[in-house]
């Protein structure tokens, strides 16, 4: 009997699902344009059955089950007091509506219902999630619940993430020919260490070439991502929330849903993949929540740290407005007793010593200057040295009788305690209702060591409670923008973006490091959600010094801001900040709607480049950064994809380091006299690369002339 065949189509990709005893993705790749018959689809891929194994074919289903002979990592692990530990689900119905397929199956014996949803949207982003419902009369304990997607055998290389505080979104490639790949995060938040994503493809896939399958688990807590190569060569990707012992217990009639696994297939390399994700973020995740241009920020943190003097901060605001800043954010240090990072988290009341007249005057001042006002909070945290701690020791997220190490001298609050959430909501709501606050920087500076609620493991619940708290606040204050920050980029994922507006990508404002961090982040996130600030000349995290040109060009390609004290800035530097702020404003309509292309440069160890091309291909903004000393005395050619191959474009140098001509006889001719070339020429042939000093950048504008 042949299986039922269902298909989902995007613009460029297609998924074919076969549903028989189980649901199996037969194909997920380039869109087919010439049709096929359902019968042939199943028979063409009917596998051989090798000797020495089970006598039946075992598909890699959307939820692999040991009971059906699937020996690899199952899609669900759980039990009911030791029973029903290996459920066998039978499909009861499949529904297809537009871009979505829902497969429902049941295990009558275990009284469990499994609902799997697949959705492939017009931006070629696939969303997979699964819900398990316990319809029995006893509790069911879930230990693992994963989304499973098979991948073709040719996907033999994984590009994965690693990192740390001030060095987020670093990448590494691993060839997987046998066994597999596993990555676990147990830090209680999305983490700097393992952003929950993988990119897979045939070994050697590049920015512009090759088949790529990108995957991101939208979840802000513990997670596990794995790729298994089975003994028969088939491979599969699993992405799941990682549960701590005992933490998921489904009471009768209760259900649990996995975080959504987002995937995208591209046959035009990583640039094609990231473009799909960017469009999805723009249209599906942000939608009309961000209707106006992203205002340029000034954030006070690296300018004054905990030294808050309202008169001085007002002076900072005045200077910031003169530079062209559009949103002024008062960072950490404004609340009761907060003079350093050892105290006061939890005491969300204005510090009367620092602000004897409150903050309303400061907020008015900022608004009168034509800027929006933002305020920093770290709601989930508490310091031992705080009023809140002395009153509510039992509000800690902890396991009784155990000590736990602090992180930045702080502990986490148990958000599943309704009193805690109510207190935090009341405090945040108070500020947003009482004052004209346009923006909240929501920080989360420590990892979670003992996620215990009533002494039971509750890491998963803590993340859900965090989402609920943000959701409640957003519901009441829908016009307030929220930034997700966790000691920089420790909580960056699609689930948090559904309820926030941008990310603080990193506490590292060193432009050279930022180039790498922003590149890594750009595979899944468009520039407008990437907080990118010009920091002080002397980086506070690396102690390195960079020119304003490198700092300015680097911050230009995100949601731009400044992270410094404009009062203590020389007039010359202020002029330069004004220049980059106004460049950003001029180009932000393009930067925040265009297609991002990470460039493949000939000397890729030493150089990095990015082009953002307008959706109508009328112009583009390009930066080339010299990360280190060039390998050779010439640096090859610069090729820029994405423009209309038939049209003619002019290339202008918009910004370059002052010393660019110092130790070269001459630069390529186009650096002195704009050159005119076709989009095809730019993509295929290119223009000669300039010669640049290490740690410098050049900014180019490409404009359509006919
Ligand atoms: C974290 C954030 C910084 C700043 C400080 C304040 O480190 O990432 O941007 O807000 O906290 O304490």
């Amino acid at each position: 009997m042949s299986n039922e065949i269902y298909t989902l189509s995007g613009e460029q990709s297609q998924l074919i699902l076969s549903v028989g005893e189980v649901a199996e993705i037969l194909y997920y790749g380039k869109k087919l344009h010439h049709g096929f018959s359902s019968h042939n689809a199943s028979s063409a891929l009917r596998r051989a059955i090798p000797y020495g194994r089970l006598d039946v074919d075992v598909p890699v289903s959307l939820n692999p089950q040991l009971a059906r002979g699937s020996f690899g990592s199952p899609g669900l692990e759980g039990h009911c007091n030791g029973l029903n530990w290996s459920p066998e689900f039978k499909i009861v119905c499949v529904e297809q509506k537009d871009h979505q397929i829902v497969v429902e199956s049941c295990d009558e014996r275990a009284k469990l219902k499994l609902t799997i949803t697949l959705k492939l949207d017009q931006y070629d982003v696939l969303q997979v999630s699964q819900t398990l419902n316990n319809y029995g009369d006893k509790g069911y304990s879930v230990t693992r619940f994963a989304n499973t997607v098979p991948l073709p055998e040719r996907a033999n290389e994984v590009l994965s993430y690693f990192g740390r505080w001030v060095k987020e979104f670093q990448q590494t490639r691993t060839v997987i020919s046998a066994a597999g790949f596993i990555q676990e995060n147990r830090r209680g938040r999305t983490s700097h260490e393992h952003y929950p994503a993988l990119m897979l493809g045939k070994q050697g896939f590049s920015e512009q070439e090759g088949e790529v399958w990108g995957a991101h688990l939208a979840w802000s807590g513990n997670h596990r991502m794995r790729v298994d190569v089975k003994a028969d060569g088939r491979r599969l990707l699993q992405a799941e929330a990682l549960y701590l012992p005992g933490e998921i217990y489904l009471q009768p009639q209760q259900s649990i849903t996995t975080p959504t696994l987002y995937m995208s297939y591209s046959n035009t390399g990583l640039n094609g993949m990231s473009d799909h994700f960017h469009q999805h973020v723009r249209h599906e995740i942000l939608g009309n929540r961000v209707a106006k241009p992203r205002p340029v920020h000034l954030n006070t943190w690296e300018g004054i740290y905990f030294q808050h003097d309202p008169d001085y901060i007002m002076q900072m605001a005045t200077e910031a407005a003169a530079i062209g800043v559009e949103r002024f954010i008062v960072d950490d240090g404004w609340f009761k007793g907060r003079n350093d990072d050892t105290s006061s988290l939890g005491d969300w009341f204005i510090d009367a010593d620092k602000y004897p007249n409150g903050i309303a005057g400061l907020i008015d001042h900022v608004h009168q200057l034509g800027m929006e006002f933002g305020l920093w909070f770290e709601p989930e945290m508490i310091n031992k040295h705080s009023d809140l701690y002395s009153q509510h020791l039992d509000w800690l997220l902890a396991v009784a009788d155990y000590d736990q190490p602090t992180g930045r001298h702080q502990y986490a609050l148990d958000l599943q305690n309704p009193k805690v959430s109510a207190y935090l909501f009341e405090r945040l709501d108070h500020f947003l209702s009482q004052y004209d606050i346009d923006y909240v920087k929501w920080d989360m500076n420590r990892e979670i060591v003992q996620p215990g609620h009533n002494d039971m493991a509750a890491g998963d619940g803590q993340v859900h409670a965090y989402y609920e708290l943000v959701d409640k606040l957003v519901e009441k204050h829908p016009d307030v923008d929220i930034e997700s920050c966790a000691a920089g980029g420790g909580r960056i994922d699609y689930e948090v973006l559904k309820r926030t507006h941008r990310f603080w990508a990193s506490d590292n404002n060193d432009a050279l490091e930022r180039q790498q961090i922003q590149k890594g982040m750009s595979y899944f996130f468009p520039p407008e959600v990437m907080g990118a600030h010009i920091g002080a000349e002397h980086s506070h995290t690396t102690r390195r010094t960079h020119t304003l040109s490198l700092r300015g060009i680097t911050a230009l390609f995100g949601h731009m801001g400044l992270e410094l004290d404009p009062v203590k800035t020389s007039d010359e530097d202020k002029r330069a900040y004004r220049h980059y702020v106004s460049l950003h404003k001029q180009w932000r309509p393009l930067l925040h709607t265009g297609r991002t292309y990470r460039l493949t440069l000939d000397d890729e160890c030493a150089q990095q480049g990015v082009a953002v091309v307008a959706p109508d291909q009328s112009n583009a903004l390009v930066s080339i950064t010299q990360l280190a000393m060039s390998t050779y005395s010439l640096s090859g050619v610069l090729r820029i994809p994405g423009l209309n191959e038939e049209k003619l474009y002019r290339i202008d140098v918009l910004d370059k380091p002052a010393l660019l001509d110092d130790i070269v006889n001459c630069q390529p001719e186009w650096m002195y006299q704009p050159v005119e070339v076709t989009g095809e020429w730019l993509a295929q042939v290119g223009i000669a690369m300039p010669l640049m000093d290490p740690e410098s950048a050049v900014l180019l504008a490409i404009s359509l002339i006919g």
Side-chain angles (χ1 to χ4, degrees), residues 371-419:
M371 296 185 290
E372 293 185 10
F373 180 81
L375 196 59
W376 180 94
F377 291 90
E378 195 180 353
E380 295 144 271
M381 297 293 160
I382 182 166
N383 285 116
K384 225 173 200 173
H385 187 183
S386 67
D387 295 346
L388 193 72
Y389 187 89
S390 52
Q391 290 153 12
H392 298 290
L393 183 54
D394 56 325
W395 281 12
L396 246 58
L397 187 68
V399 177
D401 305 328
Y402 286 172
D403 274 344
Q404 61 170 301
T406 49
R408 209 190 184 203
H409 313 287
Q410 64 199 54
Y411 297 96
L413 288 163
D414 176 4
L415 301 186
Q416 288 161 98
N417 177 341
K419 289 188 193 145

Side-chain angles (χ1 to χ4, degrees), residues 165 299 301 306 331-332 338 376 408 441 443 445 485-488 504 507 563:
W165 176 64
N299 189 60
W301 179 238
F306 297 101
D331 206 286
D332 196 356
R338 180 76 166 172
W376 180 94
R408 209 190 184 203
K441 177 174 177 181
D443 212 335
N445 278 310
C485 172
W504 184 223
D507 275 348
E563 187 90 16

Side-chain angles (χ1 to χ4, degrees), residues 261-279:
L261 168 64
Y262 288 80
M263 292 191 69
S264 188
Y265 165 81
S266 150
N267 65 342
T268 52
L270 294 159
N271 280 331
M273 176 207 78
S274 62
D275 186 51
H276 300 159
F277 284 125
H278 290 191
Q279 300 312 325

Side-chain angles (χ1 to χ4, degrees), residues 31-193:
K31 189 169 179 173
L32 306 176
H33 291 285
H34 301 292
F36 57 89
S37 82
S38 290
H39 172 73
N40 288 341
S42 350
S43 61
L45 288 175
R46 190 149 299 145
R47 283 171 288 265
I49 301 180
Y51 197 64
R53 298 166 44 117
L54 299 179
D55 297 329
V56 291
D57 175 61
V58 180
V60 173
S61 77
L62 291 170
N63 190 284
Q65 294 148 34
L66 180 60
R68 291 189 174 277
S70 185
F71 295 117
S73 165
L76 171 71
E77 283 183 276
H79 65 97
C80 167
N81 293 330
L83 299 175
N84 298 329
W85 47 273
S86 176
E88 188 199 69
F89 289 94
K90 288 201 169 62
I91 294 189
V92 289
C93 88
V94 184
E95 259 182 38
Q96 172 150 29
K97 218 166 90 196
D98 304 329
H99 292 288
Q100 184 169 302
I101 301 173
V102 180
V103 182
E104 240 179 63
S105 40
C106 275
D107 180 335
E108 287 293 350
R109 183 182 193 280
K111 302 273 185 268
L112 293 171
K113 183 169 105 180
L114 180 68
T115 309
I116 304 177
T117 306
L118 301 169
K119 185 175 174 191
L120 180 59
D121 67 21
Q122 55 180 311
Y123 310 108
D124 289 289
V125 171
L126 173 71
Q127 294 173 58
V128 188
S129 66
Q130 312 204 4
T131 298
L132 182 74
N133 178 263
N134 173 19
Y135 64 92
D137 53 11
K138 296 200 184 73
Y140 193 80
S141 194
V142 177
T143 46
R144 285 192 52 233
F145 191 21
N147 282 307
T148 305
V149 173
L151 292 164
E153 282 74 348
R154 60 188 183 278
N156 64 347
E157 186 173 21
V158 177
L159 180 53
S160 63
Y161 285 98
F162 67 100
R164 64 172 171 91
W165 176 64
V166 298
K167 206 164 171 64
E168 296 84 344
F169 289 105
Q170 306 300 304
Q171 297 176 333
T172 180
R173 285 181 182 245
T174 316
V175 172
I176 41 160
S177 45
F181 173 92
I182 192 155
Q183 170 183 299
E184 284 188 355
N185 166 47
R186 294 171 184 268
R187 292 172 191 264
R189 59 183 178 190
T190 319
S191 91
H192 298 78
E193 284 69 16

